[in-house]
Amino acid sequence: MKNGMRKAVVITYITIILGNVISLVYTPFMLSKLGKAEYGLFSLVNSIVAYIYLLDLGFGNAVIRYNSKYMVEKNEDGRKKVNGMFLTLYLILGLISLVIGTIIYFNLGKIMGKNLSPDEIIKTKQMFMVAIFNISLSFPLSIFNSIITAHEKFVYIKVINLVRTILNPAIMITVLLFGSRAFGMVIGSTVFNLLLGLMNVIYCFKILNLKIKFAGFDKVLFKEIFRYSFFVFLGAIAYQIYWNTDQLILAVFVGSAPIAIYAVSSQFNTYFISLSNVLSSMFLPKLTKMVTTEENKTELMEVLTKVGRIQYYICCYIFVGFILVGKQFITRWVGDSYSYCYVIAIILMFPQIFSIIQSLFATMLEAMNKHRVKAYIYLTIAVVNVLISIVLVQKYQGLGCAIGTAIGMIINAVANNIYYKYFIKLDIKYFWMQILKLVIPSLITFGLGFLVISIMSPTSYISILIFGILFSIIFFIVFWMLGFNNYEKNVFVSVIRKVSNRA
């Protein structure tokens, strides 16, 4: 792993941990200021907006892939032209998003009027109006972030994310302290995000010396890019169906209050994904270059397995820890009325483990331009998820949505592994044998953690923190003795030595 990537990984984990801590602190404050209903509306607007962002059509990943490809081939003229074409496309998408958003704005009352009051409809429309303005400008700005990623300037990107993590909640808290509610939060977030987008533009032109050539549309190249992007787009649709449709289903069939409970549960799932998926997000340029230079599949499988095992450690640590002390934390954090979030969160998190430890496989398929079948699988099962959720939500509310999502994720994991083995010809048995070696240490860690919980019975923040420290020690000792291989131990020791030498 390059030094720049190591620094980016460290900054990313600092950002995520800090962001999660900030979120855990200000979420109860936000709930107390907004109430369940308005917090539910705020979450609902974010869910609708996430669908409009699908207009990206997967071009963001295409920008990374084709910039990386042309850099390897040293084709500067091709890179200028492709960036000009992408920028034109994003300007068009920004305009289309504004039109679609306006249509949705004028029809929100008809869509949500059955279970939302007239006052709730007005508040939703106000927030949505600002969000649409944000989206229309964010599209042309987003290309610059992708270009920076293609240049593997991960440290800059992660520092910007760190700034966003600290300042965005600070802005939200300030807005609430000055008496504004969800509408003010949306305005503050919009202005801040647009300022960060402009910083990326300046970085690209001043630091990376970005050159863009508007030479019209190369039809052959555009068809190639569209074929690549379309299936990234299908995967993005499936992702949105999985993680944002449940709140829309609750809004249509139940009401605003259950959305808040489900949103809190989903928040823990989001923490889980963000902490576990750090490495895979940085490997698209590297894998694209590996595929372009035709490195063999044995080397590729080694990279996939190494990253998969590391992501398993992170998944296991978070998931087992949450099972042991998650309910106590939620009750202490947002009150007894939200204790049901614990069950929903576990149901959402468990199937994610299979997806997270193989997330680099999805990145690999994009690099190889062989992600079409995976997109079809994901989208098909996402639709099944929606159908199951609609049936179950009417009796079990948020729990029904969670069960539908979990069933879909498990089926998706099985189907993907069949595809990897028989169509991509990867040594999936080797991968899972390396992962299965870690199951026994995981069970031992859970057993020892459960024993500590039984003795301590933590309920306060201090006792939960003390348990967290003890659990971390138990986890590290067990996995050092029974889980880590020589490569992983050497990586850990080398990192400790570098930190010690600098200190």
Side-chain angles (χ1 to χ4, degrees):
M1 191 182 292
K2 293 180 181 178
N3 189 47
M5 189 177 288
R6 285 199 190 100
K7 290 180 180 177
V9 170
V10 171
I11 295 170
T12 300
Y13 275 115
I14 292 171
T15 301
I16 292 171
I17 292 168
L18 186 60
N20 291 348
V21 170
I22 292 172
S23 177
L24 291 171
V25 171
Y26 97 84
T27 296
F29 172 76
M30 182 169 55
L31 283 169
S32 67
K33 290 290 184 180
L34 298 180
K36 261 186 191 179
E38 191 162 347
Y39 179 69
L41 297 177
F42 181 73
S43 300
L44 177 61
V45 169
N46 288 332
S47 295
I48 298 171
V49 165
Y51 275 97
I52 298 176
Y53 271 119
L54 288 174
L55 285 171
D56 175 86
L57 300 175
F59 287 136
N61 282 28
V63 173
I64 298 171
R65 183 180 189 273
Y66 282 90
N67 270 272
S68 298
K69 181 175 182 290
Y70 285 139
M71 280 189 278
V72 170
E73 296 171 351
K74 303 187 185 304
N75 184 353
E76 287 301 311
D77 188 60
R79 196 153 63 91
K80 292 176 188 177
K81 288 179 181 178
V82 81
N83 285 331
M85 188 166 66
F86 277 125
L87 184 54
T88 303
L89 283 170
Y90 272 114
L91 288 168
I92 295 169
L93 291 175
L95 182 61
I96 293 172
S97 70
L98 185 62
V99 173
I100 293 175
T102 303
I103 294 170
I104 295 173
Y105 172 84
F106 285 109
N107 287 278
L108 273 173
K110 296 177 184 178
I111 300 169
M112 303 295 178
K114 184 178 178 181
N115 289 294
L116 300 183
S117 68
D119 183 56
E120 288 176 330
I121 292 293
I122 291 170
K123 289 179 179 178
T124 304
K125 291 179 77 171
Q126 288 175 337
M127 288 186 281
F128 188 70
M129 177 177 61
V130 178
I132 286 302
F133 174 75
N134 180 19
I135 292 172
S136 61
L137 293 178
S138 294
F139 270 115
L141 292 175
S142 66
I143 182 178
F144 298 97
N145 187 70
S146 297
I147 290 171
I148 295 168
T149 302
H151 281 81
E152 300 188 55
K153 301 298 182 182
F154 298 119
V155 173
Y156 167 82
I157 292 171
K158 300 310 175 183
V159 168
I160 291 294
N161 287 341
L162 179 59
V163 170
R164 188 195 306 274
T165 297
I166 296 170
L167 292 186
N168 198 53
I171 292 169
M172 300 297 100
I173 291 171
T174 304
V175 166
L176 291 172
L177 287 173
F178 275 91
S180 294
R181 297 177 71 83
F183 180 61
M185 292 170 64
V186 174
I187 291 176
S189 180
T190 296
V191 172
F192 180 62
N193 287 333
L194 292 178
L195 288 174
L196 290 183
L198 290 174
M199 284 185 62
N200 286 340
V201 175
I202 294 169
Y203 184 88
C204 280
F205 285 105
K206 294 292 185 180
I207 306 300
L208 299 181
N209 296 316
L210 176 66
K211 305 294 182 184
I212 294 177
K213 182 183 288 187
F214 294 98
F217 275 69
D218 182 329
K219 292 182 179 179
V220 176
L221 179 60
F222 179 73
K223 286 180 180 179
E224 180 185 338
I225 290 172
F226 186 79
R227 280 195 299 268
Y228 170 83
S229 299
F230 178 73
F231 296 105
V232 176
F233 166 63
L234 287 186
I237 289 177
Y239 182 88
Q240 294 301 333
I241 291 173
Y242 267 109
W243 304 117
N244 287 295
T245 301
D246 286 348
Q247 295 182 47
L248 295 177
I249 292 171
L250 286 166
V252 172
F253 291 98
V254 184
S256 59
I259 299 175
I261 294 174
Y262 197 86
V264 172
S265 305
S266 297
Q267 195 168 330
F268 283 101
N269 186 52
T270 301
Y271 297 154
F272 184 49
I273 296 171
S274 62
L275 281 164
S276 305
N277 255 342
V278 170
L279 292 176
S280 60
S281 63
M282 300 183 191
F283 270 85
L284 181 56
K286 177 181 176 63
L287 291 177
T288 299
K289 290 167 185 174
M290 285 182 71
V291 172
T292 302
T293 55
E294 297 184 349
E295 294 192 32
N296 65 55
K297 286 187 178 179
T298 301
E299 293 175 4
L300 188 61
M301 201 66 222
E302 285 298 319
V303 173
L304 296 172
T305 304
K306 284 178 181 178
V307 175
R309 280 175 61 93
I310 292 170
Q311 289 182 285
Y312 178 88
Y313 296 136
I314 301 165
C315 282
C316 179
Y317 175 75
I318 298 169
F319 186 66
V320 173
F322 185 81
I323 290 176
L324 291 170
V325 81
K327 188 172 184 179
Q328 297 92 317
F329 178 81
I330 291 171
T331 302
R332 184 70 184 83
W333 180 45
V334 287
D336 291 332
S337 62
Y338 285 87
S339 60
Y340 197 51
C341 294
Y342 172 71
V343 177
I344 295 176
I346 287 177
I347 293 172
L348 291 174
M349 290 165 69
F350 174 70
Q352 278 292 345
I353 295 172
F354 302 101
S355 174
I356 288 169
I357 62 178
Q358 287 192 304
S359 58
L360 195 59
F361 283 71
T363 307
M364 171 206 68
L365 290 179
E366 291 179 21
M368 296 172 71
N369 201 8
K370 291 185 178 180
H371 51 295
R372 179 178 62 181
V373 173
K374 180 177 173 63
Y376 285 143
I377 293 170
Y378 201 9
L379 185 60
T380 301
I381 297 171
V383 173
V384 173
N385 161 35
V386 170
L387 296 175
I388 296 172
S389 296
I390 290 173
V391 172
L392 296 179
V393 72
Q394 299 177 60
K395 185 174 181 180
Y396 301 106
Q397 297 191 6
L399 181 63
C401 288
I403 292 171
T405 300
I407 292 171
M409 289 297 290
I410 292 170
I411 297 172
N412 182 65
V414 173
N416 280 330
N417 276 273
I418 292 171
Y419 178 57
Y420 298 144
K421 178 174 176 59
Y422 293 104
F423 294 89
I424 306 299
K425 306 297 183 183
L426 294 176
D427 191 352
I428 294 301
K429 181 180 177 182
Y430 169 77
F431 176 86
W432 283 112
M433 288 303 295
Q434 294 301 311
I435 298 297
L436 285 173
K437 291 176 181 178
L438 306 176
V439 172
I440 291 177
S442 304
L443 295 174
I444 293 172
T445 302
F446 174 77
L448 293 174
F450 185 78
L451 181 62
V452 174
I453 281 284
S454 301
I455 296 169
M456 289 183 59
S457 299
T459 54
S460 67
Y461 283 133
I462 296 297
S463 59
I464 291 171
L465 178 61
I466 291 171
F467 168 77
I469 294 169
L470 292 174
F471 175 73
S472 300
I473 294 169
I474 290 168
F475 182 90
F476 179 78
I477 292 173
V478 170
F479 274 90
W480 183 271
M481 294 175 64
L482 302 174
F484 296 166
N485 58 32
N486 290 333
Y487 167 78
E488 291 153 357
K489 288 179 179 179
N490 289 334
V491 168
F492 178 80
V493 170
S494 66
V495 170
I496 296 298
R497 283 176 179 167
K498 285 183 180 179
V499 173
S500 301
N501 291 336
R502 290 178 181 177

